Amino acid sequence: MKMTPSRVLSGGFALIICLGTFLLSLPIAIKGGNTISLIDALFTATSALCVTGLIVVDTGTHFSVFGQIVLLLLIQAGGVGFMTVATWFAIALKKQVSLSDRLILTETLNQNTMEGIVRLIRKVLIYSLTIESIAAVLYLSRWSQEMPFGKAVYFSIFHSVSIFNNAGFELMGGYTNLTPYIDDFFINIVSMALVLLGGIGFIVISDIMDYPKTRRLSIHSKVVLYTTVILTGISAVCIFIFEYANMNTLGGYGWTTKILASLFQSITLRSAGVNTVDIANLHEATQFLMIIMMFIGAAPGSTGGGIKLTTFAVLVGALISMVRGKEDVVMFRHRLPQKDIYKAVTLTVIAVFIVVTFTMILSALQGQDFLMILFETASAFGTVGLSMGLTQHLTFTGKIIIILLMFIGRIGLLTLAFSILPKQKKELYRYPEGKITIG
């Protein structure tokens, strides 16, 4: 079988997951008195590398420092892509990046061309380390006031890497996530900034950083930024309205905390997996809204999953064009290629099919509330990591299903399809056009 970039990418992720499973299974990775099964180690390693954040054992209390560092390395490799990390080392050692490596990097970062790919990888390194370092310092300034300095440094580094890479792993213990900080303005702002920067993708970050010189943004960056603002605003307003009087979530807080918490939950849906309210106590309307937003996900070339913001934007653009009776889909005075519209529709249909199918299977196996199962499935596919509490009660088969969903969600539907299916030959003929009734 020919090793295409898609197959290398899928196989590489699978191999690193196996390595992570082995390391997390070692006694040194577990705190004294705890144990971990092979399936739980596999689940955790997959969740970390696929930057999801769904956990079957509590990260802060179950794993030792060694185990947590293994998770941190998996998160960093999964967030930027293992080939990106490998290229960082090649650049550091002043080695030449081969053509095959460039092809794989192009696949990793969802690029359409190899042009400037190594330059972009250098920027990814600089941006990642800079953003994570600044966030760690900011977290440290806050956490050093409530815990020993050494622990505060460790917590700050771990959470800055985890949240920037949209992984959702945290060390607070007791499955509490960031709920103790629901009204902490500083922690909320730093965390939201990290989630947004990780979710918009390195291509957009690069565009923004170059804007003072170029005075322009690419159509990709414009679509990502506009769609992010619109979806974040809509979901924040809806969460605020739905949860305003819910005494189990926001009902007991003042206006400032309600607005802050609504915005935080809205932003975390981009694929972060950290939350400041108990997801299980939200109203069903809020939970269903979250399922939709998790399904959409983050931007291409980012640390997030889902069908991607640009896919959703193209679908909406196509819908508007069809309603208006126009043939072309136009965004920011640019006509989109027909193949991009077909690609967006194809991705969405496949994604819906996968989520629906896996939800039905889980429903048959778990016997839990349907909305809870659909929420878990969407969270795994979108590599978000939010949960209504089902993760800790998954059966062996249920864990396997969620592992597959996290893997599919991280490497991408097209990458998985190209890695499995044989390369299609271009047809030398076209069939005559036929007409069927639609609608």
Side-chain angles (χ1 to χ4, degrees), residues 135-146 149 152 156 186 190:
V137 171
L138 292 173
Y139 278 135
L140 179 61
S141 67
R142 172 66 177 81
W143 280 328
S144 60
Q145 301 173 17
E146 61 181 61
F149 187 77
S156 300
F186 186 81
V190 175

Side-chain angles (χ1 to χ4, degrees), residues 25 85 89 91 160 186 194 226 228 252 329 338-339 360 370:
S25 300
V85 176
F89 284 106
I91 292 172
S160 65
F186 186 81
L194 278 174
Y226 272 79
T228 298
V329 177
Q338 201 72 28
K339 65 174 184 177
M360 284 193 296
F370 176 77

Side-chain angles (χ1 to χ4, degrees), residues 59-367:
T59 309
T61 58
H62 202 90
F63 291 104
S64 66
V65 173
F66 175 83
Q68 291 167 3
I69 291 174
V70 169
L71 288 174
L72 198 63
L73 294 174
L74 288 172
I75 289 167
Q76 187 70 79
V80 298
F82 75 92
M83 275 303 300
T84 303
V85 176
T87 306
W88 289 350
F89 284 106
I91 292 172
L93 297 173
K94 297 182 178 180
K95 290 186 176 181
Q96 189 71 25
V97 181
S98 67
L99 178 62
S100 60
D101 288 341
R102 291 170 190 260
L103 286 169
I104 298 168
L105 289 168
T106 303
E107 188 85 27
T108 301
L109 294 174
N110 294 96
Q111 294 291 285
N112 297 319
T113 174
M114 287 189 297
E115 184 180 355
I117 191 67
V118 176
R119 185 167 62 252
L120 179 59
I121 293 300
R122 288 194 181 97
K123 289 182 178 180
V124 169
L125 171 61
I126 295 169
Y127 297 154
S128 296
L129 295 181
T130 302
I131 293 169
E132 290 169 358
S133 299
I134 292 173
V137 171
L138 292 173
Y139 278 135
L140 179 61
S141 67
R142 172 66 177 81
W143 280 328
S144 60
Q145 301 173 17
E146 61 181 61
M147 59 181 73
F149 187 77
K151 183 179 180 181
V153 171
Y154 180 62
F155 264 51
S156 300
I157 294 172
F158 188 97
H159 289 93
S160 65
V161 173
S162 177
I163 296 176
F164 173 68
N165 287 287
N166 281 205
F169 281 81
E170 43 77 29
L171 302 177
M172 300 303 166
Y175 302 99
T176 59
N177 216 295
L178 295 183
T179 52
Y181 300 96
I182 184 172
D183 55 354
D184 190 310
F185 189 82
F186 186 81
I187 293 293
N188 274 257
I189 293 299
V190 175
S191 300
M192 286 190 288
L194 278 174
V195 173
L196 284 173
L197 289 170
I200 61 177
F202 297 107
I203 308 164
V204 179
I205 295 175
S206 178
D207 251 12
I208 293 172
M209 296 301 293
D210 292 338
Y211 184 78
K213 291 185 294 184
T214 61
R215 307 305 298 177
R216 70 179 187 85
L217 294 174
S218 66
I219 183 174
H220 168 84
S221 296
K222 289 178 181 177
V223 170
V224 168
L225 292 173
Y226 272 79
T227 308
T228 298
V229 170
I230 292 170
L231 290 181
T232 300
I234 291 173
S235 51
V237 170
C238 289
I239 292 171
F240 180 84
I241 294 171
F242 294 155
E243 299 302 318
Y244 183 86
N246 185 352
M247 296 306 295
N248 293 319
T249 54
L250 305 183
Y253 294 98
W255 272 74
T256 303
T257 302
K258 287 179 179 178
I259 293 172
L260 187 65
S262 298
L263 185 60
F264 189 98
Q265 265 53 238
S266 173
I267 289 174
T268 200
L269 294 174
R270 292 281 65 79
S271 197
V274 286
N275 54 283
T276 57
V277 298
D278 188 345
I279 303 299
N281 287 330
L282 295 168
H283 286 311
E284 288 187 348
T286 309
Q287 292 166 345
F288 191 71
L289 170 71
M290 286 182 160
I291 290 171
I292 296 171
M293 292 299 170
M294 290 190 297
F295 180 78
I296 295 171
S302 73
T303 57
I307 63 171
K308 307 301 184 190
L309 291 168
T310 47
T311 302
F312 176 75
V314 170
L315 290 175
V316 173
L319 175 64
I320 293 172
S321 295
M322 179 164 287
V323 170
R324 290 180 175 178
K326 295 182 178 180
E327 292 186 2
D328 296 328
V329 177
V330 178
M331 292 184 177
F332 300 102
R333 298 182 180 179
H334 285 77
R335 175 174 53 84
L336 300 185
Q338 201 72 28
K339 65 174 184 177
D340 286 352
I341 300 167
Y342 286 143
K343 185 177 178 181
V345 173
T346 302
L347 278 172
T348 306
V349 171
I350 295 174
V352 170
F353 176 78
I354 288 174
V355 170
V356 168
T357 302
F358 279 63
T359 300
M360 284 193 296
I361 296 172
L362 270 178
S363 295
L365 293 172
Q366 292 294 145

